[in-house]
Amino acid sequence: MKIRISSPSAILLFLSPALIFVAAELGLRWRQELILRKPQCAIQDKMEIFRLAPRCVAWEDSPNGPYLFRTNEDGFRDRSRSFFKNGALFLIGDSHVEGFRLREEEGLSRRLEESLGIPVLNLGLQGTGPGQELLRAERALKSYRPLGAIWLLNPTDVRSEEHTSELQ
């Protein structure tokens, strides 16, 4: 028995895999466009303090997949100011404190909060040194009541000429 394939059917048979591939590629590229990084959240104010924009919401990518990156009304990567009305432990530092590329619940501030049983305010921000971190902590004092503070420094923060000049 001979199988006859008409010309339109043959063309469709050979083009189907290519069409599926093109559609899948376009779908993946479209999805990737929706997953944006958070550079629009970073701002520098009049005093040259590098910080995150208040109420910023952006998609961020992590090793565990994309997640929604948010800042509160003061530009800190944490919950609303009202959550901390009875005070909070200030956690000060750079990207290690911010939880760069981590979901909020995976970061150091939340883990410390679970261990200590008190609210911990995340004042971390990637790319900052001791001078900028001190200015962020001073800014937080205007709106939050500290129960104490933990400042995480690593050797590169202290030795870096750029960060050392911030403190002068």
Side-chain angles (χ1 to χ4, degrees), residues 132-145:
Q132 291 283 320
E133 293 163 6
L134 180 61
L135 292 172
R136 281 176 61 78
E138 288 175 349
R139 203 171 129 258
L141 284 171
K142 295 176 184 175
S143 302
Y144 300 88
R145 187 172 65 92

Side-chain angles (χ1 to χ4, degrees), residues 126-165:
Q126 70 184 43
T128 57
Q132 291 283 320
E133 293 163 6
L134 180 61
L135 292 172
R136 281 176 61 78
E138 288 175 349
R139 203 171 129 258
L141 284 171
K142 295 176 184 175
S143 302
Y144 300 88
R145 187 172 65 92
L147 299 174
I150 297 175
W151 193 346
L152 295 180
L153 293 169
N154 67 53
T156 59
D157 290 336
V158 178
R159 286 186 291 210
S160 169
E161 287 181 34
E162 176 185 320
H163 296 318
T164 304
S165 65

Side-chain angles (χ1 to χ4, degrees), residues 28-93:
L28 289 172
R29 286 183 186 203
W30 176 75
R31 182 181 179 275
Q32 192 63 29
E33 289 298 316
L34 293 178
I35 301 172
L36 303 174
R37 302 270 180 197
K38 65 178 189 320
Q40 300 303 326
C41 294
I43 58 174
Q44 227 172 357
D45 65 17
K46 295 175 194 169
M47 294 181 61
E48 300 298 313
I49 299 172
F50 181 62
R51 62 189 180 96
L52 295 171
R55 294 183 179 90
C56 185
V57 178
W59 283 104
E60 179 66 30
D61 201 10
S62 82
N64 296 327
Y67 65 93
L68 207 53
F69 177 92
R70 298 175 189 261
T71 62
N72 69 10
E73 64 270 30
D74 297 307
F76 299 125
R77 186 177 179 205
D78 220 315
R79 290 146 299 184
S80 174
R81 187 185 310 147
S82 62
F83 179 83
F84 301 102
K85 65 182 176 211
N86 294 323
L89 177 67
F90 284 16
L91 186 57
I92 306 163

